[in-house]
Amino acid sequence: MTGSILILAGRRPGAVDALAAAHGVADKCLVPVAGRPMIAHVLESAAASGAGKIFVSTHHRALADDLDDPIVAALGERLVVVPAADNLTDSVLAVADRADFPLLITTADNCLLTPETIAEIGSEAARLGAEAGVALARREDVLAVHPEGQRRFYEFSDVAVSNCNAYWIGHRGALKAAEAFRGGGQFVKKPMRVMQAFGLINLLRFRFGLGPIHHIFRRISGQLKVDVAPLLVSDGATAIDVDNERSLRVTEMLMRRIGGVSPPPNCREIPVERGAADARPLAAAR
């Protein structure tokens, strides 16, 4: 793709990430996944995408030094580490004047995002003529990759989808769509954020799937005054991010199966628990 990529790798104010604490690292983005810090996998795909600049938004000032991965040297001046703000919107706006557009926004735990999916997101946005977009994977595609990879889906009248933690901004003016996430992105747990951003009627339609997905997104676009489209991607693995030990093990297993990645030293296959509630935020910015 042309343009830029922004990887959100910040922390929630005052919160200690349980996965980072369990693995003895300062930030979640440094948790080892298949023998590398999780953000290294995202940086690898971003580098292969052809984006001119790759921004990392983080509270960890020495991230580039502490990352200790060859991808840092490979990226060279394409990699730009910037201070994270205390909310998603300001972290995005902080790079707006330095980024080339289109701008793809993703998260440091999106380890299964591939260069092919990055290209597909841009192609789908162009096909729909969208100013901004949210990458989503169909339920059947996610479950085909791994039956326990994702447990929460958004039901619309025509399709059930899971969020892929990837957002496409076509031009600088479309950044006003990011204002919807100023209060944070965990819409599943805090539906009042949907109402504040999209309006009460759109909240009800979104939460209860009252209509086809493109119709509901058109209504949301009217509220935001930006043409925001659902960008349906073909790789269901993109909807599986690393939130906890269960999803970390699923991710490592998929990396070995799909890409031939060797397991990390002393790693053994851990059975995946079934049945536990595992909510998936619409925009799980860290």
Side-chain angles (χ1 to χ4, degrees):
M1 65 169 279
T2 59
S4 307
I5 292 176
L6 168 61
I7 302 171
L8 299 169
R11 317 181 193 109
R12 295 191 182 98
V16 176
D17 184 83
L19 199 59
H23 287 264
V25 294
D27 278 290
K28 179 182 174 183
C29 67
L30 296 173
V31 170
V33 178
R36 300 176 72 185
M38 68 167 65
I39 194 174
H41 298 285
V42 187
L43 287 169
E44 194 85 46
S45 291
S49 73
K53 292 182 181 177
I54 299 166
F55 297 91
V56 175
S57 176
T58 177
H59 293 97
H60 193 122
R61 294 186 179 183
L63 179 64
D65 294 329
D66 292 347
L67 189 53
D68 190 26
D69 189 275
I71 190 59
V72 175
L75 280 168
E77 293 184 356
R78 291 173 66 197
L79 177 62
V80 183
V81 178
V82 296
D86 286 337
N87 63 77
L88 185 152
T89 298
D90 286 337
S91 291
V92 172
L93 295 178
V95 306
D97 291 336
R98 305 169 64 182
D100 297 317
F101 286 78
L103 174 65
L104 180 78
I105 304 165
T106 189
T107 53
D109 56 9
N110 202 1
C111 298
L112 295 172
L113 178 69
T114 65
E116 292 77 17
T117 298
I118 292 173
E120 185 180 19
I121 289 169
S123 297
E124 185 68 0
R127 184 184 73 82
L128 295 172
E131 294 181 279
V134 180
L136 303 164
R138 297 170 183 83
R139 175 167 55 195
E140 57 268 29
D141 293 331
V142 179
L143 296 180
V145 171
H146 195 289
E148 290 294 314
Q150 186 51 258
R151 294 168 172 170
R152 189 63 172 259
F153 297 91
Y154 295 95
E155 302 271 357
F156 297 90
S157 64
D158 57 341
V159 67
V161 296
S162 184
N163 175 46
C164 294
N165 275 3
Y167 310 91
W168 187 88
I169 305 290
H171 58 85
R172 193 166 275 101
L175 279 169
K176 57 188 174 182
E179 287 292 337
F181 305 106
R182 182 168 292 281
Q186 295 190 40
F187 287 158
V188 168
K189 297 179 181 178
K190 300 185 179 180
M192 284 299 293
R193 290 176 177 170
V194 182
M195 187 176 76
Q196 292 166 358
F198 304 150
L200 177 59
I201 299 302
N202 289 333
L203 165 63
L204 296 174
R205 288 178 178 274
F206 182 86
R207 291 284 289 177
F208 298 105
L210 302 177
I213 188 170
H214 285 282
H215 173 72
I216 292 177
F217 268 79
R218 281 195 294 271
R219 293 185 62 94
I220 291 171
S221 297
Q223 182 78 18
L224 295 176
K225 296 181 172 52
V226 177
D227 183 13
V228 183
L231 308 177
L232 298 175
V233 302
S234 55
D235 185 359
T238 315
I240 303 171
D241 64 357
V242 180
D243 274 332
N244 48 41
E245 290 292 343
R246 178 190 62 81
S247 53
L248 189 157
R249 298 307 178 195
V250 169
T251 296
E252 290 185 327
M253 186 196 73
L254 291 174
M255 286 180 172
R256 296 196 293 274
R257 180 197 300 170
I258 298 169
V261 175
S262 299
N266 303 318
C267 177
R268 63 185 179 85
E269 197 71 44
I270 294 181
V272 176
E273 278 186 25
R274 294 180 178 270
D278 189 13
R280 169 72 164 188
L282 176 64
R286 304 293 185 255

